[in-house]
Amino acid sequence: QPRLLESGGGSVQTGGALKLSCAVSGVRFSSLILGWFRQAPGKTRERVAFIGDDMSTLYIDSVKGRFTISRDNRKNTLYLQMNSLEPEDTATYFCVADQYPSKLWDGNADYWGQGTQVTVSS
């Protein structure tokens, strides 16, 4: 049974940094397309960043230059380094995975983590 387990969330002040991790088990990690979504209270779920099996990356405009997505295929782990955090980044962050990029992009990925909370105070 595939399992995605996020960690690394927390509370920081504006300008601070956090690194999220997502440990993946029960599925062939190296072939997966991986990504992060987030959802703030009262708002729709939002794409944040994606990384392909070829290490190509994609970010939404609001996090470009501040966030870095990466993966370690030896450790079966996905990461999101978040720098220069802003109050608008406050949300629950979800790790997602699928074999098909379109499903990931559309928010219909097969595999989701339970989420980790990130709170940025001004």
Side-chain angles (χ1 to χ4, degrees):
Q1 183 71 20
R3 184 182 182 195
L4 282 64
L5 184 62
E6 301 101 333
S7 61
S11 297
V12 297
Q13 293 187 326
T14 298
L18 287 171
K19 186 173 185 177
L20 306 183
S21 299
C22 175
V24 179
S25 60
V27 63
R28 186 181 176 188
F29 184 84
S30 60
S31 65
L32 293 172
I33 314 301
L34 302 166
W36 294 93
F37 277 73
R38 67 186 179 186
Q39 187 165 20
K43 295 188 177 181
T44 57
R45 190 172 57 195
E46 178 184 40
R47 307 178 189 100
V48 177
F50 299 97
I51 186 166
D53 55 353
D54 60 353
M55 301 298 180
S56 59
T57 58
L58 183 67
Y59 300 91
I60 60 171
D61 286 344
S62 62
V63 307
K64 283 181 181 177
R66 300 189 298 121
F67 290 11
T68 303
I69 189 170
S70 62
R71 62 191 292 168
D72 187 333
N73 288 345
R74 297 169 301 173
K75 296 182 178 180
N76 289 1
T77 302
L78 172 70
Y79 302 100
L80 186 67
Q81 177 67 48
M82 305 185 295
N83 298 329
S84 302
L85 282 161
E86 303 168 352
E88 293 73 23
D89 297 316
T90 295
T92 300
Y93 284 71
F94 298 90
C95 168
V96 296
D98 202 286
Q99 290 184 317
Y100 301 103
S102 60
K103 290 178 64 180
L104 207 72
W105 182 259
D106 292 341
N108 295 322
D110 283 346
Y111 312 124
W112 289 75
Q114 83 290 347
T116 186
Q117 178 66 37
V118 171
T119 302
V120 185
S121 58
S122 57

